[in-house]
Amino acid sequence: MGELQNLISIHDLDRKMIDHILDTAAEMESVAVNRSKILDSKIMAVLFFEPSTRTRLSFESAMLRLGGSVIGFAEAGVSSAGGKGETLADTIRTVERYADIIVIRHPLDGSARVSAEFSKIPVINAGSGSEEHPTQALLDLYSIRKMKGKIDGLSISLCGDLKYGRTVHSLGMALSHYDVKIKLAAPQALRMKPAIIEQMKKSGADVVEVETVEEAVKDVDVIYTTRIQKERFPDVREYDKVKDRFRITVDDLNLMREDTIILHPLPRVDELDPEIDNTPHAKYFDQVYNGVILRMAVLKLILG
Ligand code: NCD
């Protein structure tokens, strides 16, 4: 067994472990280029019950760069769970006999935790409902540290859909372990749940809430913006009301500090003007590559 058993929730990690994962990721930068055979006897199963581009492909790329092999499905409909009504528990009991580690994305909150309870092999949460996305939070922290040289002392805006966005839930909690100022920026209807804000404050976070794009982008080191999570709204009319409410445009660049970086977990829809892509503020496509590096570190710490 490796240094980590599972990766289900950011709540399971203390600052020491988070820093250790980020340090291990830094060691993976050269391994990612030169490739390695350290996991050559290992098989990773990817069980994706929800759409994904970056998370699944970066996990696969990470495993292949470490010499391991990959099996799995990218769509629930092609599995017995989607097509024939198999339970998650039975799916896990089956897959654990084919692989050494499971990476799962599922629309239900708690799905990764439940999978780990049934599984004899390690489980990584690649997104559970609107609740959590711990490896995204870790790659976001890694990106901030790599691009800004540190995390402590920074001020960071988390923007967009703070209600349904799982990446900001995990990132907010992860950032709370550091000495940072956090601005939560969202229209009223998409505010972060008070219970999560309370947890962040309990962990020592310095949090303020704002409602406009202007306030969100001003005087911060990092702007982390997110897609409005259409698929998680119980009523599509509610989505229509807020879908254009938090768009960052080129005009907003004038309000930003010159060294402010913009991150986004992607995919982007309308919330971030593509004209921003060619400015020095835009770092979201560099952030994508860090997903490979960080996930190599997590696989090594669990399986290595
Ligand atoms: C995010 C997700 O799936 O939660 N995507 C990702 O993993 N990079 C964000 C999103 O879908 O908006």
Side-chain angles (χ1 to χ4, degrees), residues 1-2 4-8 39 41-48 59 63 66 68-72 92 95-104 119-125 135 295-304:
M1 256 311 145
L4 259 179
Q5 229 188 333
N6 289 308
L7 183 45
I8 304 302
L39 298 185
S41 59
K42 304 292 185 186
I43 299 173
M44 175 180 81
V46 288
L47 313 184
F48 275 59
F59 261 115
M63 191 60 173
L66 291 168
S69 310
V70 182
I71 58 172
I92 297 297
V95 175
E96 71 183 7
R97 288 169 163 84
Y98 301 151
D100 301 291
I101 188 163
I102 290 172
V103 178
I104 183 166
S119 180
K120 291 192 185 68
I121 63 172
V123 173
I124 298 176
N125 182 2
T135 61
R295 288 173 175 126
M296 287 176 73
V298 169
L299 290 170
K300 176 176 181 250
L301 289 172
I302 296 179
L303 290 174

Side-chain angles (χ1 to χ4, degrees), residues 51 54-55 105 133 136 166-167 227 229 231 265-267:
R54 278 149 290 268
T55 305
R105 166 170 288 190
H133 195 346
Q136 180 70 45
R166 56 192 170 200
T167 69
R227 176 178 70 88
Q229 309 279 298
E231 69 276 29
L266 303 177

Side-chain angles (χ1 to χ4, degrees), residues 48 50-56 105 126-130 132-133 135-136 139-140 161 164-168 224-232 264-269 271 287-288 295:
F48 275 59
E50 274 193 341
S52 171
T53 299
R54 278 149 290 268
T55 305
R56 186 174 60 84
R105 166 170 288 190
S128 49
S130 60
E132 276 230 47
H133 195 346
T135 61
Q136 180 70 45
L139 85 86
D140 298 335
D161 188 347
Y164 297 115
R166 56 192 170 200
T167 69
V168 277
Y224 183 94
T225 192
T226 57
R227 176 178 70 88
I228 313 290
Q229 309 279 298
K230 182 177 184 183
E231 69 276 29
R232 306 214 192 277
H264 190 311
L266 303 177
R268 150 180 58 189
V269 189
E271 64 283 355
Q287 182 187 357
V288 165
R295 288 173 175 126

Side-chain angles (χ1 to χ4, degrees), residues 213-215 217-219 250-257:
V213 172
E214 291 71 29
E215 286 172 292
V217 302
K218 252 188 245 166
D219 203 30
V250 272
D251 295 337
D252 298 313
L253 297 181
N254 303 323
L255 301 171
M256 286 174 210
R257 294 205 316 235

Side-chain angles (χ1 to χ4, degrees), residues 8 39 48 63 68 80 115 117 122 143 154-155 159 162 178-179 184 188 196 223 233 239 255 268 273-274 283 286 301:
I8 304 302
L39 298 185
F48 275 59
M63 191 60 173
S80 286
S115 301
E117 278 164 18
S143 300
L154 296 181
S155 53
C159 314
L162 306 187
Y178 295 83
D179 179 19
L184 298 177
Q188 188 67 20
I196 303 179
I223 297 168
F233 280 69
Y239 168 75
L255 301 171
R268 150 180 58 189
D273 191 342
K283 297 290 184 203
D286 296 334
L301 289 172

